[in-house]
Amino acid sequence: MDMKLSDYAKKTGISYRTAWRWWKQGNLTGYQLPSGTIIITDDNHSKPDLIACIYARVSSAENKDNLDRQADRLKDYAVARGYKIYKVVKEVGSGLNDNRQQLAKILVDPNYNVLIVEHKDRLARFGTNYLEILLKELDKKLEVVNQSEDNQDELMSDLIAIITSFCSRIYGLRRSKRKTEKIIAELKDNGQ
């Protein structure tokens, strides 16, 4: 059944932009009229395969065994859901750290359309809603396998990390203030 790309997008419940991207990637069968209108001809490709990127994270190297088990559980989940697994990313780092290199790489990777994490806090302790908005804008979906949260030990280590970070910033600011005062005093001495 032939239909315009815009009609196809409405029928399948996706945005026009996503449908257009699928067309450009060759995931949809059809043709383009001289006017520029795209006509979709084959309804068998109503949605491309769901391609999953699995992200597993633990906060410290002590939990490295748990990291492997977490990744295995997520792989089993993805296979059970019928997803094609593109990549499995394992990272050791605090959920509070906003400079995790592995996470940054997969957020901008265009080769998957579903990001799977075991718990929301495996992605980040704070700001997961922002990451979800970013993924949605990139036509990707965040899938959290287990919505319940009960990781008191890890929460305590994250709280300690926050306190340590704030303390180091406070002491750093004091040191910086003394250094600035010293520079000003030297400038005054040299200026007179």
Side-chain angles (χ1 to χ4, degrees), residues 39-97:
I39 305 295
I40 303 301
T41 57
D42 187 3
D43 200 27
N44 292 336
H45 297 288
S46 61
K47 286 188 181 179
D49 293 328
L50 291 173
I51 302 167
C53 180
I54 293 172
Y55 181 72
R57 181 193 63 80
V58 292
S59 60
S60 66
E62 300 166 353
N63 298 327
K64 201 158 177 116
D65 291 340
N66 187 30
L67 184 63
D68 294 331
R69 288 192 302 272
Q70 186 183 141
D72 289 340
R73 286 190 301 269
L74 292 173
K75 282 191 260 185
D76 292 342
Y77 173 84
V79 168
R81 297 277 300 194
Y83 299 159
K84 290 182 180 177
I85 298 175
Y86 161 65
K87 185 186 274 188
V88 177
V89 177
K90 299 177 189 177
E91 191 161 43
V92 176
S94 172
L96 297 171
N97 183 354

Side-chain angles (χ1 to χ4, degrees), residues 9-10 14-15 20 29 51 55 57 62 78 82 88 114 123-125 132 136-137 145 164 168-169 175:
K10 287 177 189 169
I14 60 173
S15 70
W20 185 83
T29 305
I51 302 167
Y55 181 72
R57 181 193 63 80
E62 300 166 353
V88 177
V114 178
L123 186 60
R125 286 292 182 184
E132 209 164 347
K136 189 174 183 179
E137 186 64 26
V145 175
T164 303
S168 66
R169 284 184 182 177
R175 199 173 308 123

Side-chain angles (χ1 to χ4, degrees), residues 27-38:
N27 293 329
L28 300 175
T29 305
Y31 56 92
Q32 192 165 10
L33 298 174
S35 65
T37 302
I38 298 170

Side-chain angles (χ1 to χ4, degrees), residues 87-144:
K87 185 186 274 188
V88 177
V89 177
K90 299 177 189 177
E91 191 161 43
V92 176
S94 172
L96 297 171
N97 183 354
D98 64 350
N99 192 20
R100 285 181 275 144
Q101 293 177 356
Q102 297 294 330
L103 178 60
K105 285 178 187 174
I106 63 171
L107 286 175
V108 296
D109 189 332
N111 297 313
Y112 70 95
N113 51 21
V114 178
L115 178 61
I116 301 176
V117 296
E118 189 168 37
H119 297 277
K120 210 172 201 177
D121 67 356
R122 297 297 90 202
L123 186 60
R125 286 292 182 184
F126 303 105
T128 53
N129 290 336
Y130 296 119
L131 293 173
E132 209 164 347
I133 290 168
L134 169 68
L135 289 168
K136 189 174 183 179
E137 186 64 26
L138 297 170
D139 293 319
K140 296 174 192 254
K141 175 182 156 192
L142 173 63
E143 196 160 320
V144 179

